[in-house]
Amino acid sequence: MLHAVIMAGGAGSRFWPESREARPKQLLRLIGQQSMIRATIDRLGGLVPRERMLIVTTRMLAQPIADELPELPRESILAEPCRRDTAGCIGLAAIEILARDPDAMLIVLPADHAIGPTTTFNKSLGEAVRLVEADPRRIATFGIRPTYPAESFGYIERGAPLPEAEPGTAAFKVQRFHEKPRIDVAREYLDSGRFYWNSGIFVFRAATILDELATQRPALHRGLQAIAARIGAADYPAVLEREFAALERISIDRAVMEHAQQVVVIEAPFDWDDLGSWQALARLAGHDEHGNTVIGRHVSVRTEGTIVHGSSDHLIATVGLRDCLIVHTPDATLVANKHDEEAIRQVVELLREKGWLDYL
């Protein structure tokens, strides 16, 4: 059967101070009236029933997510003992689902993407499922045609066209996965026409991804198998705690996708954005005639290219600013160069070092 795995354990530190450890970006209503995780669940509703959705998150976020999605069974929320990146996250989800469904096929996707329209997205997922059904060893992913030389995304280099793809579907064998590039390399990727942004959305059989982990990362696979052997047993919580903490911390791209031989990429016909930063929010929310993106109450004088995020009951006034980022919350305010968003993570670490944990 078809299952969905939604990865929702990220801290969203680049969205500080709006995003906090106990309420990160996937629980926020950054675009529209829905939280990111609610939008993700609803987007999949026409393809996968609620009882076959599994949300993988942290222990801190398990209850807030349950409160946000009360219609999901409690067993649909899987709490990792600690963060071990996407290889550990996906591996844990795979063994949990395989224990219930030995023939499980998984759609794996993050909880913080902006995607639309839903009908086009679900149709594309259906094509990916068909390609995997045609060859159970296959791993399907989606590539986003780049519109600018992004340094913040990984890239997929396409190879030969896939002859068994449905007419109208652009599907290719994957030549290679590439890490986030320098700006000059990103420009080369854009100009070549052979590269896609890596969407981080995958379709594969649960057994296949575990077989790939056994080949590519045997130690990680042994840890997962030790956990799988105790599912349903009285000592399962203790085994999960011990073995998961010992797993290598590595992404699924580095652990599997860069080495697997049967990965195919479908050119996404749907709109996509990774809400990884305030600038991504600006791309989606749009801007005024001065290039400013404003959410909240704001007046400006000689302000250009600036992102302002506040509330309707607090006025933010700006004078003579250009390319700035201003985020106001009840207990913290951020003022930054919008082109230096990576440094927001340094602010979060400084707060941790100072012991100012109330602001995290």
Side-chain angles (χ1 to χ4, degrees):
M1 291 186 291
L2 185 61
H3 300 253
V5 174
I6 296 106
M7 298 181 288
S13 56
R14 283 186 294 176
F15 271 105
W16 186 89
E18 189 69 39
S19 179
R20 306 293 178 95
E21 287 185 347
R23 194 163 182 81
K25 62 178 178 178
Q26 55 266 35
L27 287 167
L28 300 178
R29 288 158 176 77
L30 293 170
I31 295 291
Q33 300 304 309
Q34 288 185 312
S35 67
M36 299 300 296
I37 195 164
R38 162 61 67 189
T40 302
I41 290 291
D42 288 354
R43 192 180 299 128
L44 292 167
L47 199 61
V48 181
R50 295 290 198 267
E51 63 271 17
R52 294 208 301 270
M53 294 182 181
L54 183 67
I55 298 174
V56 188
T57 187
T58 64
R59 286 176 175 169
M60 179 183 290
L61 296 178
Q63 189 57 52
I65 287 175
D67 294 340
E68 178 72 10
L69 305 169
E71 75 277 16
L72 288 188
R74 187 60 184 84
E75 58 270 21
S76 294
I77 300 175
L78 176 61
E80 298 173 299
C82 56
R83 289 190 175 102
R84 282 296 174 265
D85 215 320
T86 51
C89 169
I90 292 170
L92 183 62
I95 63 171
E96 288 281 344
I97 293 173
L98 271 181
R100 293 171 278 178
D101 179 5
D103 296 319
M105 185 181 298
L106 310 182
I107 298 169
V108 178
L109 69 169
D112 56 358
H113 287 177
I115 294 173
T118 295
T119 52
T120 304
F121 178 63
N122 283 349
K123 183 178 179 181
S124 299
L125 287 176
E127 172 62 5
V129 167
R130 191 190 69 79
L131 290 174
V132 174
E133 286 176 338
D135 184 348
R137 302 300 307 169
R138 183 176 280 158
I139 294 172
T141 188
F142 291 91
I144 312 300
R145 183 172 287 281
T147 54
Y148 64 95
E151 300 171 84
S152 57
F153 298 147
Y155 284 74
I156 300 171
E157 184 178 0
R158 75 187 191 197
L162 208 62
E164 59 266 47
E166 287 286 346
T169 298
F172 306 85
K173 295 179 180 178
V174 169
Q175 184 75 22
R176 189 180 170 191
F177 281 76
H178 296 261
E179 296 292 330
K180 298 173 183 177
R182 302 187 314 271
I183 184 64
D184 57 326
V185 177
R187 289 194 184 99
E188 291 177 8
Y189 290 171
L190 180 65
D191 293 342
S192 77
R194 302 192 317 275
F195 290 80
Y196 297 113
W197 288 335
N198 183 354
S199 70
I201 303 171
F202 301 99
V203 177
F204 44 65
R205 292 177 67 249
T208 296
I209 201 64
L210 290 173
D211 287 346
E212 288 288 351
L213 285 169
T215 300
Q216 310 298 343
R217 282 295 190 276
L220 193 153
H221 181 262
R222 284 194 296 271
L224 291 171
Q225 290 304 106
I227 297 169
R230 304 309 299 163
I231 291 176
D235 63 346
Y236 172 74
V239 173
L240 173 63
E241 187 87 27
R242 181 184 69 244
E243 296 293 340
F244 196 80
L247 296 182
E248 178 184 9
R249 189 166 187 169
I250 188 172
S251 71
I252 196 66
D253 287 351
R254 289 186 58 207
V256 171
M257 302 304 166
E258 293 178 2
H259 314 286
Q261 299 301 306
Q262 297 194 54
V263 186
V264 300
V265 58
I266 299 170
E267 182 177 318
F270 47 84
D271 298 327
W272 174 95
D273 208 319
D274 176 6
L275 267 178
S277 68
W278 288 108
Q279 290 211 66
L281 178 64
R283 288 196 299 270
L284 292 168
H287 52 77
D288 63 18
E289 65 273 19
H290 301 293
N292 300 317
T293 298
V294 177
I295 297 174
R297 182 160 293 192
H298 172 245
V299 294
S300 69
V301 176
R302 299 191 311 278
T303 298
E304 298 179 351
T306 291
I307 302 168
V308 178
H309 190 280
S311 61
S312 60
D313 59 359
H314 181 94
L315 173 66
I316 298 173
T318 59
V319 178
L321 297 185
R322 184 182 181 87
D323 291 349
C324 288
L325 167 63
I326 301 168
V327 183
H328 174 82
T329 68
D331 65 343
T333 301
L334 170 72
V335 180
N337 183 322
K338 76 175 185 181
H339 300 299
D340 195 19
E341 285 188 300
E342 287 297 325
I344 298 175
R345 289 175 170 165
Q346 297 175 34
V347 173
V348 172
E349 289 308 310
L350 281 172
L351 294 173
R352 199 180 307 278
E353 290 172 13
K354 288 178 176 290
W356 295 357
L357 305 184
D358 288 347
Y359 298 101
L360 296 179

